[in-house]
Amino acid sequence: MRHTFFDNSGTSGYSRIMLILVLPFIIVLLAYGAYNLFFIPDPVISGLEAFEFLPAEETVTIRSENVTSIDIYLYQGGEKVELLIDKPELSETTYSLPVRPKELGLADGSAIVVVKAKSGFLKKIKHEIRSVIDSDPPTLEVLKAPSVLNEGSAGVTVLRANGADEVYVKLNDMKFKAFESASPRDRDNQRHPGSGDARMYHALFPAPFGIDSSNVFYAVAEDIAGNKNIKALSTSIISKVHRTSSITIDKSFIEKIVSPLLNTVSISDHKSAFRMVNEEVRGNNHNTILEIARKSGDRTQWKGRFLQLKNSKVMATYGDERAYFFDGEEVSRSVHLGYDLASFSNAPVEAANSGTVLFAGDLGIYGNTVIIDHGLGLMSIYGHLSMMMVSDSQPVKKGEVIAKSGATGLAGGDHLHFGILIHGHEVSPLYWWDPKWIEVNITNYLDY
Ligand SMILES: [Zn+2]
């Protein structure tokens, strides 16, 4: 029988040859597949939440890991806009994507951002982000602002904004929240015609210790997409001359007063123990106060002048700079940002004005401490108490006895540390004991 190309023996010979030829490719393919499946990690894209709100101008920063190819498109209506196409070949890559919706032909409103990434040829991910495009910044007008503020005093600015989700006064890296006016909108419109849908805001803000004439207060109206409208306030600042006093501390003060604040009974290095309390613990306590201050309510709860501890003598004032000496060597410095008032031991302490207790507990260097919220970011603080007679969230009336004076915390003897806080920053209580100053500088603005 003549062997043909199609007979059995011929076919098996051909298959063998084909197998020998193809097998290496199959093995390579399987190995490559296994490598992709087991050795190439999953693609990861982070920072995509930045696409959720897109203002008029934004640089979205995203990061890719284990990615061989990535593309990002934005869809709106029938439009498809390319934001990124790249092949980073698995290297960790950070992308800064400038997004200007108007230049890309996009309208304000909703859109979808679709992100697709691959690593190798088997691992793919897809993210869809619902995005809100808002390229319209809020309007902002400064209706009233103090012309001048002394370091350690405070002021109010009256603002009108439309389309803002957050309004505040900014000084360096500090932010002082403005509260929307409690008065009915139509009354505002009657008094300030032409305001449309705009809302009125009052921002109480401090001129904190250390400020000088080169500092500028800014009013800022910001929307949820991050669009900002910023106006500089015309307020000028007068700084004060700071007085420095020297205080000598000894071993027994550090062992008796300082060591409990570090939760220890054995101190090997007295100098560094004092430094730790005066600097680190003080700093932590200040941060706690800033945190508490964020809970200030949106209505004014106080009226008229603040009360000073009855029959008290002023032992230390606002802004006293203190240099501490141990064994003849300066070991630490701090600034005293309240008033120290001494009467007799365990003297009754009254609420300086009406408000709500926002804190009653141990506060490090301040010892047993009560903080009363008076609203719109204004609070009073009472430190070194021997006994507290109020608790958290309790409403208090001006003149009500809330505590007894003492010497808890970093105190050498029985006295009351009294402070006025604006958004958690201490200002001088002296102004707040003066009814005329309050009327001219605070009430007249809050009633505007
Ligand atoms: Zn004090």
Side-chain angles (χ1 to χ4, degrees):
M1 199 180 161
R2 196 167 61 93
H3 283 204
T4 68
F5 197 73
F6 296 104
D7 75 4
N8 277 340
S9 63
T11 302
S12 72
Y14 174 71
S15 300
R16 208 169 294 133
I17 291 163
M18 285 302 281
L19 202 65
I20 291 164
L21 285 174
V22 171
L23 196 62
F25 290 103
I26 294 171
I27 291 168
V28 167
L29 202 67
L30 284 173
Y32 184 58
Y35 167 72
N36 268 274
L37 196 60
F38 299 112
F39 294 99
I40 292 186
D42 291 333
V44 178
I45 312 282
S46 47
L48 294 176
E49 60 282 356
F51 285 115
E52 285 170 11
F53 292 102
L54 293 172
E57 204 176 322
E58 172 89 314
T59 300
V60 175
T61 303
I62 61 163
R63 203 170 158 71
S64 77
E65 265 174 81
N66 319 322
V67 166
T68 49
S69 87
I70 178 169
D71 60 65
I72 303 180
Y73 288 94
L74 193 147
Y75 296 83
Q76 190 185 47
E79 298 291 312
K80 179 183 179 184
V81 177
E82 175 198 315
L83 296 179
L84 174 71
I85 295 181
D86 194 34
K87 297 199 183 305
E89 302 306 339
L90 293 174
S91 62
E92 284 185 22
T93 310
T94 301
Y95 298 96
S96 294
L97 310 173
V99 184
R100 293 181 187 85
K102 276 216 173 105
E103 285 175 26
L104 296 170
L106 299 163
D108 278 7
S110 55
I112 304 273
V113 174
V114 178
V115 181
K116 287 181 188 168
K118 279 189 212 172
S119 54
F121 73 97
L122 285 175
K123 295 194 171 165
K124 294 176 189 176
I125 51 162
K126 183 183 174 188
H127 295 287
E128 282 193 22
I129 303 113
R130 283 177 183 282
S131 180
V132 173
I133 298 172
D134 176 1
S135 55
D136 202 13
T139 65
L140 176 65
E141 297 159 82
V142 180
L143 302 180
K144 199 169 157 76
S147 54
V148 63
L149 281 186
N150 285 320
E151 180 184 0
S153 76
V156 178
T157 178
V158 188
L159 307 168
R160 185 160 60 186
N162 195 354
D165 295 290
E166 199 189 357
V167 180
Y168 53 91
V169 170
K170 196 174 185 310
L171 170 74
N172 302 327
D173 56 354
M174 290 171 270
K175 254 166 115 173
F176 315 120
K177 181 185 158 86
F179 288 84
E180 199 183 325
S181 166
S183 57
R185 196 94 53 79
D186 21 312
R187 206 195 81 197
D188 287 341
N189 281 344
Q190 252 174 34
R191 287 166 61 184
H192 312 284
S195 59
D197 281 334
R199 294 159 187 216
M200 275 185 60
Y201 296 83
H202 290 91
L204 179 60
F205 62 99
F209 180 85
I211 196 174
D212 64 50
S213 56
S214 69
N215 290 109
V216 179
F217 290 104
Y218 294 97
V220 184
E222 196 174 335
D223 67 22
I224 198 163
N227 297 295
K228 283 180 191 173
N229 195 332
I230 302 173
K231 300 266 186 287
L233 298 186
S234 55
T235 309
S236 57
I237 298 151
I238 300 174
S239 56
K240 290 242 158 139
V241 178
H242 303 145
R243 213 172 57 175
T244 304
S245 57
S246 302
I247 293 174
T248 300
I249 45 168
D250 57 17
K251 258 186 157 162
S252 105
F253 178 82
I254 291 171
E255 281 165 11
K256 248 164 80 180
I257 313 290
V258 173
S259 99
L261 295 172
L262 292 171
N263 285 321
T264 177
V265 283
S266 60
I267 283 178
S268 51
D269 182 349
H270 288 74
K271 279 184 229 169
S272 65
F274 180 75
R275 214 175 279 138
M276 180 87 95
V277 164
N278 196 46
E279 293 165 26
E280 212 160 296
V281 178
R282 185 185 292 274
N284 292 341
N285 298 155
H286 178 62
N287 289 336
T288 304
I289 291 172
L290 290 178
E291 208 48 54
I292 294 166
R294 293 156 71 103
K295 296 187 284 182
S296 184
D298 60 0
R299 68 191 176 90
T300 304
Q301 298 186 54
W302 61 282
K303 211 173 173 190
R305 66 175 290 254
F306 283 64
L307 303 177
Q308 186 181 338
L309 182 70
K310 273 185 188 153
N311 308 314
S312 62
K313 204 175 138 196
V314 173
M315 308 301 285
T317 62
Y318 177 89
D320 290 347
E321 284 185 275
R322 293 170 171 179
Y324 296 90
F325 287 82
F326 180 80
D327 273 351
E329 186 197 335
E330 188 185 314
V331 289
S332 185
R333 276 180 176 248
S334 63
V335 183
H336 188 256
L337 295 174
Y339 262 67
D340 283 347
L341 306 169
S343 171
F344 50 89
S345 285
N346 299 321
V349 173
E350 300 172 336
N353 221 317
S354 301
T356 306
V357 175
L358 260 195
F359 182 86
D362 183 67
L363 190 60
I365 62 161
Y366 299 96
N368 291 330
T369 301
V370 172
I371 297 177
I372 299 176
D373 177 33
H374 306 289
L376 310 189
L378 176 63
M379 297 182 176
S380 52
I381 180 169
Y382 312 77
H384 309 310
L385 306 169
S386 59
M387 189 182 166
M388 296 175 284
M389 293 143 87
V390 288
S391 53
D392 212 356
S393 322
Q394 184 181 326
V396 288
K397 287 223 160 66
K398 181 168 165 175
E400 189 178 325
V401 176
I402 54 163
K404 288 190 171 163
S405 72
T408 53
L410 191 62
D414 190 302
H415 75 279
L416 171 71
H417 174 94
F418 177 70
I420 295 283
L421 305 165
I422 312 267
H423 300 285
H425 300 274
E426 296 217 44
V427 292
S428 176
L430 204 57
Y431 298 102
W432 299 84
W433 288 327
D434 174 358
K436 190 75 200 154
W437 180 86
I438 290 177
E439 194 195 318
V440 171
N441 296 282
I442 305 295
T443 320
N444 279 353
Y445 285 72
L446 290 179
D447 290 345
Y448 182 81

